[in-house]
Amino acid sequence: MKLDRVLDFAKLLLERAVQQGDITVDGTMGNGHDTVFLAQLVGETGHVYSFDIQEQAIHTTANKLETEHLQKRCTLVHDGHEQLDTYITGEHAGKITGAIYNLGYLPGGDKSIITQADTTIASLEKLFDMMAPEGIIVLVIYHGHPGGEAERDALMHYVQNLSQQKAHVLKYDFINQVHSPPFLIAIEKR
Ligand code: SAM
């Protein structure tokens, strides 16, 4: 057999956590791959809230969704994920079953614009309260770029100290590779 690569494992977890009609979050929209994936999982009756601070990400993702006829299922927010409670309100808050954050910089974009530990953690704290029981938050942690190590270390400290009464936290990591490959953290709300 072949072990699931990190991004494949992220998808597998989300496929298992998210049903048609569910509410989901893409915390880092980027080029829209995860937003499209989540939009397919939630079906016509579900919804994806997707966040990015870069205009370029919104344009690229909007175009992808239009091509796939998925735009009605998605709200693309041009704002930081740390503001997510401003955008996800009412009956959708508390009903989120799946979320993904692909951290780091926008592939093909400005490599100096990266996710930062303080805003990522602020976002996770708000999101955790809005998750449904057994909902899953997947973090794909890239740490090979300048600034990546600091975010990794702060995030690891944060997730390792989440109360085990509130969450199960998993690390999925290929441990014999060179060049700082990304690894995955999954947080299951109990
Ligand atoms: N998931 C994306 C995809 O499918 O292409 C890749 C995401 S990329 C690795 C990281 C993205 O996070 C960048 O587009 C960057 O602009 C965005 N970002 C950085 N800080 C952010 C913040 N505070 N809130 C939301 N997005 C942020």
Side-chain angles (χ1 to χ4, degrees):
M1 72 165 285
K2 202 171 151 185
L3 291 169
D4 283 319
R5 302 302 182 248
V6 166
L7 294 179
D8 294 331
F9 190 62
K11 287 186 171 171
L12 184 76
L13 292 175
L14 291 167
E15 273 165 1
R16 290 180 60 185
V18 175
Q19 311 297 320
Q20 298 238 331
D22 283 358
I23 309 305
T24 59
V25 170
D26 182 356
T28 54
M29 188 188 314
N31 290 319
H33 302 289
D34 298 320
T35 298
V36 166
F37 176 71
L38 289 172
Q40 286 161 342
L41 286 186
V42 299
E44 277 185 26
T45 53
H47 206 78
V48 187
Y49 290 90
S50 213
F51 296 83
D52 208 291
I53 52 173
Q54 296 193 66
E55 188 82 46
Q56 185 188 338
I58 313 288
H59 279 304
T60 309
T61 304
N63 287 338
K64 271 204 178 81
L65 290 172
E66 215 171 296
T67 308
E68 306 274 343
H69 306 292
L70 293 169
Q71 66 272 31
K72 284 192 189 146
R73 312 172 186 187
C74 301
T75 300
L76 304 187
V77 181
H78 185 196
D79 202 349
H81 43 221
E82 62 278 11
Q83 307 294 342
L84 89 178
D85 55 329
T86 310
Y87 300 93
I88 311 174
T89 56
E91 60 171 20
H92 285 184
K95 290 203 174 151
I96 300 163
T97 57
I100 183 160
Y101 290 62
N102 248 299
L103 301 172
Y105 58 83
L106 177 63
D110 183 344
K111 291 187 180 175
S112 71
I113 304 175
I114 57 170
T115 50
Q116 305 279 348
D118 55 346
T119 42
T120 303
I121 291 170
S123 173
L124 289 175
E125 296 217 299
K126 290 178 175 177
L127 176 61
F128 189 79
D129 289 342
M130 300 167 91
M131 296 297 292
E134 298 185 13
I136 295 277
I137 304 172
V138 177
L139 309 173
V140 180
I141 302 184
Y142 292 82
H143 51 108
H145 58 282
E149 279 184 23
E151 185 178 32
R152 175 199 66 198
D153 293 347
L155 269 174
M156 287 308 293
H157 182 262
Y158 173 71
V159 297
Q160 279 166 345
N161 287 289
L162 283 172
S163 157
Q164 65 175 358
Q165 267 75 48
K166 292 187 177 170
H168 290 127
V169 182
L170 167 86
K171 183 180 186 196
Y172 187 78
D173 191 5
F174 287 87
I175 59 174
N176 67 333
Q177 292 183 15
V178 290
H179 302 316
S180 321
F183 64 92
L184 178 147
I185 295 291
I187 305 168
E188 177 207 310
K189 181 166 176 171
R190 297 186 70 174

